[in-house]
Amino acid sequence: MPIGPNGVFDLTDIPATREAVRALAETIADTIPDEPTVTTHEIQVPRAEAPDVPILLLRPQNAPEPLPVIVWFHGGGQVLGFAAQDAPWLKQLSAALGCAVVSVDYRLAPETPAPGAAEDGYTAYRWISDNAADLGLDPTRIGLAGQSGGGGIAAATALLIRDRGAATPLFQLLQYPMLDDRNTTDSSREITDIGIWDRATNLLAWQALLGDRVGTEDVTPYAAAARASNLAGLPPTFIGVGELDVFRDESLDYAARLRACGVDVELHNYPGAYHAFDLFAPQSQLAESFRHTWNNYLARHLTKAPATPTAS
């Protein structure tokens, strides 16, 4: 990996790193065979008092309707990335599972501080739920999923959905999620100087997201999901994280707290794995095992009826 003095993701120059991430995503996309059975629709989700939320709706042509839905949040520490970066492999996932995928092009920090991204996620989720019948989608089978910073947004979106009384998602699938701005866990102090989303990069990302609020009592759960004092009533949850990930302990803690509140949790901690190991070493046995595990989780849950939420 081309690791510079400020790591793979140089957050000391966010505009330049965004351009580099886009170029890398386009290069990777060229290596992934197209999935012609899945169509792509660009939609602007309207709302009254904020900008429209762009989404990509991916749907398989040959699957029976109404389709279950995965609402997906891309990675990038909530400061980098874009919805289309994951479209090549999300199309393959859509075809394999016979489901629609909604990739949310949420607003990034520092231009939009937290919890702007979670508000975008909530808007997209509500719009998909409210318009499901017209789109050939199943409003009772909509799950949330996200990767890294996007996993944090998925978790915060689930909290907004619960607290505003919207229909409970079928699940939340969180891949090495970014949950806690305080950076006080053992892993947040241990994972330094490796160049792939280590402590230094994470501190810069949270600073971009929260500014002077970072680490204070002024941070809401919709900006950092680990701040939630009550996790009851959230959907069944999958969490996967690596042993050498700066997010390891906040992920393990979130899983334990969810379980203590009666939420069904499937937790996987991968020994020897660093942050986003499945993206940086996709041919490794560990990455293949991880993909199989969370794909299996999605396949099982997308065929289920929604669970009755626990009272909060």
Side-chain angles (χ1 to χ4, degrees):
M1 293 302 301
I3 299 178
N6 296 306
V8 174
F9 304 107
D10 183 359
L11 298 190
T12 65
D13 188 349
I14 290 176
T17 303
R18 285 177 181 167
E19 292 182 10
V21 166
R22 184 173 290 272
L24 177 62
E26 291 171 351
T27 299
I28 293 173
D30 290 340
T31 69
I32 300 176
D34 187 38
E35 178 50 69
T37 65
V38 175
T39 60
T40 303
H41 307 273
E42 297 182 6
I43 299 172
Q44 296 288 328
V45 175
R47 57 183 165 186
E49 299 179 356
D52 293 351
V53 180
I55 63 172
L56 288 180
L57 173 59
L58 312 177
R59 53 184 308 143
Q61 298 175 9
N62 304 321
E65 295 183 353
L67 299 168
V69 186
I70 301 169
V71 178
W72 173 258
F73 299 92
H74 67 79
Q78 304 181 41
V79 294
L80 305 171
F82 54 103
Q85 72 184 29
D86 298 326
W89 68 265
L90 287 175
K91 290 176 72 173
Q92 295 184 342
L93 183 72
S94 172
L97 296 180
C99 69
V101 179
V102 173
S103 186
V104 182
D105 211 359
Y106 56 85
R107 292 169 295 171
L108 301 175
E111 294 88 346
T112 301
E119 290 287 355
D120 293 350
Y122 175 80
T123 297
Y125 176 83
R126 284 298 307 269
W127 188 85
I128 288 294
S129 299
D130 293 344
N131 294 277
D134 293 337
L135 296 168
L137 308 176
D138 187 344
T140 69
R141 291 188 294 159
I142 303 175
L144 306 174
Q147 194 171 64
S148 188
I153 296 169
T157 299
L159 289 165
L160 277 174
I161 291 168
R162 181 198 66 179
D163 294 348
R164 292 176 178 174
T168 304
L170 197 59
F171 55 81
Q172 57 174 346
L173 183 143
L174 312 178
Q175 298 180 3
Y176 32 85
M178 180 182 183
L179 301 169
D180 197 341
D181 65 292
R182 292 165 290 194
N183 287 279
T184 57
T185 65
D186 288 344
S187 64
S188 75
R189 294 190 174 102
E190 292 167 1
I191 309 305
T192 60
D193 304 320
I194 66 170
I196 300 177
W197 213 269
D198 52 23
R199 180 176 179 84
T201 307
N202 198 46
L203 289 173
L204 287 172
W206 279 113
Q207 184 68 35
L209 280 161
L210 296 171
D212 293 341
R213 292 179 292 153
V214 68
T216 72
E217 295 305 310
D218 294 331
V219 178
T220 72
Y222 315 128
R227 295 297 198 113
S229 59
N230 178 15
L231 300 180
L234 290 171
T237 301
F238 175 103
I239 296 179
V241 68
E243 176 193 22
L244 305 179
D245 194 321
V246 72
F247 297 142
R248 180 195 69 213
D249 291 340
E250 61 199 65
S251 296
L252 300 182
D253 178 67
Y254 202 67
R257 291 175 57 215
L258 284 163
R259 185 58 252 160
C261 289
V263 177
D264 290 337
V265 177
E266 181 170 326
L267 172 65
H268 298 268
N269 181 34
Y270 288 85
Y274 51 86
H275 186 71
F277 65 97
D278 55 318
L279 303 181
F280 290 110
Q283 304 306 317
S284 65
Q285 291 184 346
L286 207 59
E288 291 179 0
S289 174
F290 182 45
R291 280 194 299 272
H292 174 79
T293 299
W294 64 263
N295 279 327
N296 181 267
Y297 183 91
L298 290 173
R300 284 185 284 117
H301 282 74
L302 289 171
T303 59
K304 286 184 178 181
T308 302
T310 304
S312 58

